[in-house]
Every structure is written in C-alpha cells, then in structure tokens.
C-alpha cells in the first residue's frame, strides 16, 4: 500500500473545514443579529436622587426568562457626567428591595449600608 504525503492529506481536508467554519459563523451571526443570544434587558423600577442632587440611586429588575430567576441590580449615576456604576446585585429576588439615601455618599439597600464609592455587594441566596 503506497504511503501518502501528510501535507496532501491536510490540503484535502481544508475545504471541508473552511465550509464547516463558515456555516457555524453564519449561524452565530444570524443568532446575534436576531437577538436570540442577547442579554435580557434590565427594567428600571425606581430612581431616587441623593440629598444634594448629585447622584441617583437606580433599581433595576431583570427577568431572565424561562430558565433564569429574577434578579435586582442597584446602580448609582453621577448626574454631572452620567457615569453609572453598580453597587448591589441580588439573584433570586422577585420584589424590589428597601432602598433609600442615608447621606450624600451612603445608601441603604435590602438591609445593607453601602458607600456608593467603595462598596459593591452580590447576594446569591434562597
């Protein structure tokens, strides 16, 4: 039985590999463009301004769909430059947590005092 050159074998398989990669990439692009793999959108439930009016406390509810439970994200928005950052995330929460401003840089969220510049809390219970 004659021995075949390995480079010839590799060249023979490349058209099939290219075709498979192109089909997979086309499928993934179609999924992304149609929104099938898009992250669920958070829905703003509450917005409260800080006592000095420089920041807002934003509470978002996220319904992850059929296979993922509800979650809540709390963020702070700087009213001057509109920069937003998260300070609290809780999974398995179906209702809005208690939330309010304590001072210009401290908030109360679901039993926790959080400094809006230093603290970030994630809770995965229940």
């Amino acid at each position: 039985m004659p021995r075949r050159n390995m480079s010839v074998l590799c060249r023979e398989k490349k058209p099939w590999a290219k075709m498979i990669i192109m089909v997979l990439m086309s499928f993934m692009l179609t999924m992304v463009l149609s929104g099938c793999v898009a992250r669920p959108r958070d829905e703003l439930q509450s917005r409260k301004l800080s006592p000095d009016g420089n920041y807002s406390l934003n509470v978002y509810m996220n319904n992850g769909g059929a296979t993922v439970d509800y979650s809540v994200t709390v963020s702070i928005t700087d009213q001057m430059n509109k920069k937003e950052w998260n300070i609290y995330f809780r999974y398995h929460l179906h209702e809005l947590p208690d939330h309010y401003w304590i001072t210009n840089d401290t908030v109360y969220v679901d039993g926790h005092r959080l400094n809006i510049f230093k603290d970030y809390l994630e809770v995965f219970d229940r």
Side-chain angles (χ1 to χ4, degrees), residues 2-3 16-17 25 29 35 41 49 54-55 58 63 68 74 82 88-89 94 102 107 120:
R3 294 176 59 178
W16 288 103
M25 288 178 65
L29 182 62
R41 301 284 304 180
L49 284 177
N54 291 333
Y55 300 97
N58 313 306
N63 178 357
V68 180
V74 178
K82 301 301 181 195
Y88 180 85
F89 174 83
H94 296 263
I102 297 173
V107 295
Y120 176 76

Side-chain angles (χ1 to χ4, degrees), residues 11-30:
R11 273 186 273 151
E12 290 174 359
K13 292 182 180 180
K14 283 184 182 179
W16 288 103
K18 285 182 183 179
M19 186 170 75
I20 290 171
I21 289 172
M22 292 300 292
V23 167
L24 289 174
M25 288 178 65
S26 298
F27 178 73
M28 289 171 41
L29 182 62
T30 302

Side-chain angles (χ1 to χ4, degrees), residues 97-112:
D98 293 333
H99 59 285
Y100 54 86
W101 286 93
I102 297 173
T103 64
N104 289 327
D105 63 355
T106 306
V107 295
Y108 174 90
V109 179
D110 201 26
H112 304 279

Side-chain angles (χ1 to χ4, degrees), residues 10-123:
C10 291
R11 273 186 273 151
E12 290 174 359
K13 292 182 180 180
K14 283 184 182 179
W16 288 103
K18 285 182 183 179
M19 186 170 75
I20 290 171
I21 289 172
M22 292 300 292
V23 167
L24 289 174
M25 288 178 65
S26 298
F27 178 73
M28 289 171 41
L29 182 62
T30 302
M31 295 286 288
V32 168
L33 293 177
S34 67
C36 291
V37 293
R39 181 181 175 274
R41 301 284 304 180
D42 292 336
E43 295 180 24
L44 181 64
Q45 301 294 317
S46 173
R47 175 171 283 150
K48 297 180 180 180
L49 284 177
S50 62
D52 63 3
N54 291 333
Y55 300 97
S56 66
L57 175 66
N58 313 306
V59 179
Y60 297 93
M61 180 70 74
N62 184 319
N63 178 357
T67 60
V68 180
D69 204 358
Y70 284 87
S71 65
V72 171
T73 303
V74 178
S75 68
I76 301 294
T77 302
D78 185 330
Q79 296 300 304
M80 296 295 285
N81 62 17
K82 301 301 181 195
K83 182 178 176 184
E84 186 174 15
W85 62 94
N86 294 337
I87 62 167
Y88 180 85
F89 174 83
R90 184 163 182 180
Y91 187 59
H92 297 303
L93 190 63
H94 296 263
E95 67 277 344
L96 290 182
D98 293 333
H99 59 285
Y100 54 86
W101 286 93
I102 297 173
T103 64
N104 289 327
D105 63 355
T106 306
V107 295
Y108 174 90
V109 179
D110 201 26
H112 304 279
R113 286 176 63 117
L114 301 172
N115 181 297
I116 65 171
F117 302 110
K118 298 177 185 174
D119 296 332
Y120 176 76
L121 179 64
E122 287 186 350
V123 180

